Amino acid sequence: MNIRSGSFVSVLLVAAGLLAGCQSARVTQTVISPPALQLTAAAPLQLASDCAPSGSVVVDFTVLADGTTSAIKTPAVPDCLHDALTAWVSSFRYSPPGESVPGTVEWLLVTARKKS
């Protein structure tokens, strides 16, 4: 059997092409970070005088494209604290991020004696 060098090279090129087609494509993942939030305004937290909360509470919310807040979620807390935290987070105003961005704030009760 006589193999000509030209046809042998052609067979090698076809085989190399077939093998190259079997390689998996490299997959890259781009992580896009949400825009940084810049708080521009917030009303003071107003607790009712008969409200006696304790501990800390994590409040999740969404900052809308225009900088207002929405979808405020608090864990199970007394109604007086829920109402106060919801009103407080509703008052937050951010520099408009241009898209909806998740936000979180942790409220922590800190007490101290006067003149301490």
Short mmCIF file of all heavy atoms in Angstrom, two decimals, residues 79-104:
data_model
loop_
_atom_site.label_atom_id
_atom_site.label_comp_id
_atom_site.label_asym_id
_atom_site.label_seq_id
_atom_site.Cartn_x
_atom_site.Cartn_y
_atom_site.Cartn_z
N ASP A 79 -45.34 44.18 67.38
CA ASP A 79 -45.96 45.10 66.42
C ASP A 79 -45.42 46.52 66.51
O ASP A 79 -45.21 47.18 65.49
CB ASP A 79 -47.48 45.13 66.61
CG ASP A 79 -48.16 43.85 66.14
OD1 ASP A 79 -47.52 43.09 65.36
OD2 ASP A 79 -49.32 43.61 66.54
N CYS A 80 -45.17 46.99 67.74
CA CYS A 80 -44.69 48.37 67.89
C CYS A 80 -43.32 48.55 67.23
O CYS A 80 -43.05 49.58 66.60
CB CYS A 80 -44.64 48.78 69.35
SG CYS A 80 -43.47 47.83 70.37
N LEU A 81 -42.46 47.54 67.33
CA LEU A 81 -41.14 47.63 66.71
C LEU A 81 -41.26 47.45 65.19
O LEU A 81 -40.59 48.16 64.44
CB LEU A 81 -40.19 46.58 67.30
CG LEU A 81 -38.76 46.60 66.79
CD1 LEU A 81 -38.13 47.98 66.98
CD2 LEU A 81 -37.92 45.53 67.47
N HIS A 82 -42.10 46.54 64.76
CA HIS A 82 -42.32 46.34 63.32
C HIS A 82 -42.78 47.64 62.67
O HIS A 82 -42.24 48.06 61.63
CB HIS A 82 -43.36 45.24 63.09
CG HIS A 82 -43.75 45.09 61.67
ND1 HIS A 82 -44.81 45.78 61.11
CD2 HIS A 82 -43.22 44.36 60.67
CE1 HIS A 82 -44.92 45.48 59.84
NE2 HIS A 82 -43.96 44.61 59.54
N ASP A 83 -43.77 48.29 63.28
CA ASP A 83 -44.30 49.53 62.71
C ASP A 83 -43.24 50.63 62.68
O ASP A 83 -43.11 51.36 61.70
CB ASP A 83 -45.51 50.01 63.52
CG ASP A 83 -46.70 49.05 63.40
OD1 ASP A 83 -46.69 48.17 62.51
OD2 ASP A 83 -47.63 49.17 64.23
N ALA A 84 -42.46 50.74 63.77
CA ALA A 84 -41.42 51.77 63.83
C ALA A 84 -40.33 51.52 62.81
O ALA A 84 -39.89 52.45 62.11
CB ALA A 84 -40.83 51.83 65.24
N LEU A 85 -39.87 50.28 62.68
CA LEU A 85 -38.81 49.97 61.72
C LEU A 85 -39.30 50.13 60.28
O LEU A 85 -38.56 50.64 59.43
CB LEU A 85 -38.28 48.55 61.94
CG LEU A 85 -37.46 48.35 63.22
CD1 LEU A 85 -37.15 46.87 63.42
CD2 LEU A 85 -36.18 49.17 63.18
N THR A 86 -40.52 49.72 60.01
CA THR A 86 -41.07 49.87 58.66
C THR A 86 -41.17 51.34 58.27
O THR A 86 -40.80 51.73 57.16
CB THR A 86 -42.44 49.18 58.55
OG1 THR A 86 -42.28 47.79 58.86
CG2 THR A 86 -43.03 49.31 57.16
N ALA A 87 -41.67 52.18 59.19
CA ALA A 87 -41.76 53.62 58.92
C ALA A 87 -40.37 54.23 58.72
O ALA A 87 -40.16 55.06 57.83
CB ALA A 87 -42.50 54.32 60.05
N TRP A 88 -39.43 53.79 59.54
CA TRP A 88 -38.06 54.32 59.46
C TRP A 88 -37.42 53.97 58.12
O TRP A 88 -36.91 54.85 57.42
CB TRP A 88 -37.27 53.76 60.63
CG TRP A 88 -35.84 54.21 60.73
CD1 TRP A 88 -35.38 55.50 60.71
CD2 TRP A 88 -34.70 53.38 60.89
NE1 TRP A 88 -34.00 55.51 60.86
CE2 TRP A 88 -33.58 54.22 60.97
CE3 TRP A 88 -34.53 52.01 60.99
CZ2 TRP A 88 -32.29 53.72 61.13
CZ3 TRP A 88 -33.25 51.52 61.16
CH2 TRP A 88 -32.14 52.36 61.23
N VAL A 89 -37.46 52.70 57.74
CA VAL A 89 -36.84 52.28 56.47
C VAL A 89 -37.58 52.90 55.28
O VAL A 89 -36.97 53.24 54.27
CB VAL A 89 -36.76 50.74 56.37
CG1 VAL A 89 -36.28 50.30 55.00
CG2 VAL A 89 -35.86 50.19 57.48
N SER A 90 -38.89 53.11 55.42
CA SER A 90 -39.65 53.78 54.35
C SER A 90 -39.17 55.21 54.13
O SER A 90 -39.32 55.76 53.03
CB SER A 90 -41.15 53.81 54.69
OG SER A 90 -41.68 52.52 54.68
N SER A 91 -38.59 55.82 55.17
CA SER A 91 -38.11 57.20 55.04
C SER A 91 -36.74 57.30 54.38
O SER A 91 -36.30 58.39 54.04
CB SER A 91 -38.05 57.85 56.43
OG SER A 91 -36.91 57.41 57.16
N PHE A 92 -36.05 56.18 54.23
CA PHE A 92 -34.71 56.21 53.64
C PHE A 92 -34.79 56.72 52.19
O PHE A 92 -35.65 56.30 51.43
CB PHE A 92 -34.07 54.83 53.61
CG PHE A 92 -33.70 54.24 54.94
CD1 PHE A 92 -33.92 54.91 56.13
CD2 PHE A 92 -33.11 52.99 55.00
CE1 PHE A 92 -33.57 54.35 57.35
CE2 PHE A 92 -32.75 52.42 56.21
CZ PHE A 92 -32.99 53.10 57.39
N ARG A 93 -33.85 57.57 51.83
CA ARG A 93 -33.71 58.02 50.46
C ARG A 93 -32.25 57.82 50.07
O ARG A 93 -31.34 58.20 50.80
CB ARG A 93 -34.09 59.49 50.28
CG ARG A 93 -35.56 59.77 50.54
CD ARG A 93 -36.47 59.05 49.54
NE ARG A 93 -37.88 59.20 49.84
CZ ARG A 93 -38.62 58.32 50.50
NH1 ARG A 93 -38.09 57.21 50.96
NH2 ARG A 93 -39.90 58.54 50.71
N TYR A 94 -32.06 57.23 48.91
CA TYR A 94 -30.73 56.95 48.39
C TYR A 94 -30.51 57.72 47.11
O TYR A 94 -31.47 58.07 46.41
CB TYR A 94 -30.58 55.45 48.10
CG TYR A 94 -30.56 54.59 49.34
CD1 TYR A 94 -31.73 54.13 49.92
CD2 TYR A 94 -29.35 54.27 49.95
CE1 TYR A 94 -31.70 53.34 51.07
CE2 TYR A 94 -29.32 53.49 51.11
CZ TYR A 94 -30.49 53.03 51.65
OH TYR A 94 -30.45 52.26 52.78
N SER A 95 -29.24 57.95 46.78
CA SER A 95 -28.94 58.46 45.44
C SER A 95 -29.48 57.42 44.47
O SER A 95 -29.23 56.23 44.66
CB SER A 95 -27.43 58.62 45.23
OG SER A 95 -26.93 59.61 46.09
N PRO A 96 -30.24 57.82 43.46
CA PRO A 96 -30.86 56.84 42.57
C PRO A 96 -29.83 55.89 41.95
O PRO A 96 -28.93 56.33 41.25
CB PRO A 96 -31.53 57.70 41.49
CG PRO A 96 -31.78 59.00 42.17
CD PRO A 96 -30.62 59.19 43.10
N PRO A 97 -29.96 54.58 42.24
CA PRO A 97 -29.00 53.63 41.69
C PRO A 97 -29.27 53.27 40.23
O PRO A 97 -28.44 52.65 39.59
CB PRO A 97 -29.16 52.40 42.59
CG PRO A 97 -30.56 52.47 43.09
CD PRO A 97 -30.87 53.94 43.18
N GLY A 98 -30.44 53.65 39.70
CA GLY A 98 -30.75 53.36 38.29
C GLY A 98 -31.37 51.99 38.06
O GLY A 98 -31.82 51.68 36.99
N GLU A 99 -31.37 51.15 39.08
CA GLU A 99 -31.99 49.83 39.01
C GLU A 99 -32.33 49.41 40.44
O GLU A 99 -31.85 50.00 41.39
CB GLU A 99 -31.05 48.81 38.38
CG GLU A 99 -29.76 48.59 39.17
CD GLU A 99 -28.80 47.63 38.50
OE1 GLU A 99 -27.98 48.11 37.69
OE2 GLU A 99 -28.89 46.42 38.77
N SER A 100 -33.20 48.41 40.58
CA SER A 100 -33.54 47.92 41.91
C SER A 100 -32.36 47.18 42.52
O SER A 100 -31.71 46.37 41.85
CB SER A 100 -34.74 46.98 41.83
OG SER A 100 -35.89 47.70 41.46
N VAL A 101 -32.07 47.49 43.77
CA VAL A 101 -30.92 46.91 44.47
C VAL A 101 -31.38 46.44 45.85
O VAL A 101 -32.07 47.19 46.55
CB VAL A 101 -29.80 47.97 44.63
CG1 VAL A 101 -28.61 47.41 45.39
CG2 VAL A 101 -29.36 48.50 43.28
N PRO A 102 -31.00 45.23 46.26
CA PRO A 102 -31.37 44.79 47.61
C PRO A 102 -30.58 45.55 48.67
O PRO A 102 -29.42 45.90 48.46
CB PRO A 102 -31.01 43.30 47.60
CG PRO A 102 -29.99 43.14 46.52
CD PRO A 102 -30.27 44.21 45.51
N GLY A 103 -31.24 45.81 49.78
CA GLY A 103 -30.58 46.49 50.89
C GLY A 103 -30.91 45.80 52.20
O GLY A 103 -31.90 45.08 52.31
N THR A 104 -30.09 46.03 53.19
CA THR A 104 -30.28 45.46 54.52
C THR A 104 -29.78 46.46 55.55
O THR A 104 -28.77 47.14 55.32
CB THR A 104 -29.48 44.15 54.68
OG1 THR A 104 -29.90 43.22 53.70
CG2 THR A 104 -29.69 43.54 56.05
#
